Amino acid sequence: MEIRVLGGGNEVGASCLLVKMEGTSVLIDAGMRMHGDEIMPMLGMLDQAEGPECILVTHAHADHIGALPVVHSLYPQVPIYATPPTCDLMRIMMKDSYKIMEMRSRQSHSLPSYTEQQVDSVLNSILHFPASNRLQVGNITITNFRAGHILGASCFCSRAAERAYW
């Protein structure tokens, strides 16, 4: 198993993990930072040619979803999964994240990291995590468990062959 921390490893914000196991790669969250100059996770650490096989969203806070429009524009074919309540909350929170980013861009006289159209595109692409709470992605089975953080929050257990990873 290989884990790349693209953001959120030693801070609150920009949560983004790339998990590779048994030849399958999964991106968990793609958040933005609320403070500082660099709001995006280190997306340059992603393999631009291959990309992840799916994206899992743990919950709808901006520090876990704020960079999804950028990731989705890089990998528009990669499915994004979240629980139904998280999907509903993302519709509100993504718009809020966009407003925060746009305001910060105006204040710093810089270009926003993504457009409102990219926000709409990612919101129209999100899939509900299967009702069975299990998802087969490549060589791993991912099981969704309630996390209790906010409505719809999840933690995931990934299983490959006889090994389970939390």
Side-chain angles (χ1 to χ4, degrees):
M1 174 190 271
E2 176 188 343
I3 299 174
R4 290 186 195 170
V5 179
L6 309 179
N10 62 351
E11 63 186 325
V12 174
S15 294
C16 191
L17 298 173
L18 181 67
V19 178
K20 293 183 177 186
M21 55 189 289
E22 303 295 324
T24 300
S25 63
V26 174
L27 191 69
I28 301 174
D29 292 337
M32 63 190 283
R33 289 180 185 85
M34 300 295 111
H35 305 287
D37 294 332
E38 184 56 48
I39 65 171
M40 292 289 133
M42 295 179 287
L43 299 176
M45 291 177 66
L46 291 171
D47 183 345
Q48 296 300 323
E50 285 183 35
E53 292 183 45
C54 81
I55 300 167
L56 303 174
V57 178
T58 60
H59 65 284
H61 282 150
D63 61 324
H64 291 259
I65 64 168
L68 277 175
V70 174
V71 173
H72 181 64
S73 68
L74 294 171
Y75 308 105
Q77 76 289 353
V78 173
I80 304 169
Y81 293 97
T83 63
T86 296
C87 292
D88 292 342
L89 286 171
M90 284 175 69
R91 299 202 172 279
I92 298 165
M93 296 301 291
M94 287 292 292
K95 298 289 185 173
D96 188 53
S97 294
Y98 178 74
K99 287 179 188 174
I100 291 168
M101 184 202 46
E102 190 177 47
M103 178 187 69
R104 290 177 67 183
S105 294
R106 277 195 308 271
Q107 290 172 345
S108 65
H109 305 288
S110 62
L111 292 173
S113 299
Y114 49 84
T115 67
E116 194 165 11
Q117 290 78 17
Q118 287 172 304
V119 171
D120 292 337
S121 177
V122 76
L123 289 174
N124 291 328
S125 299
I126 298 169
L127 303 169
H128 288 180
F129 202 91
S132 66
N133 288 331
R134 289 195 197 289
L135 178 66
Q136 185 68 39
V137 179
N139 298 317
I140 62 174
T141 301
I142 300 165
T143 305
N144 174 31
F145 294 93
R146 287 188 219 162
H149 180 56
I150 66 170
L151 180 66
S154 297
C155 60
F156 302 103
C157 174
S158 299
R159 183 177 292 275
E162 296 300 317
R163 300 183 76 178
Y165 302 92
W166 290 85

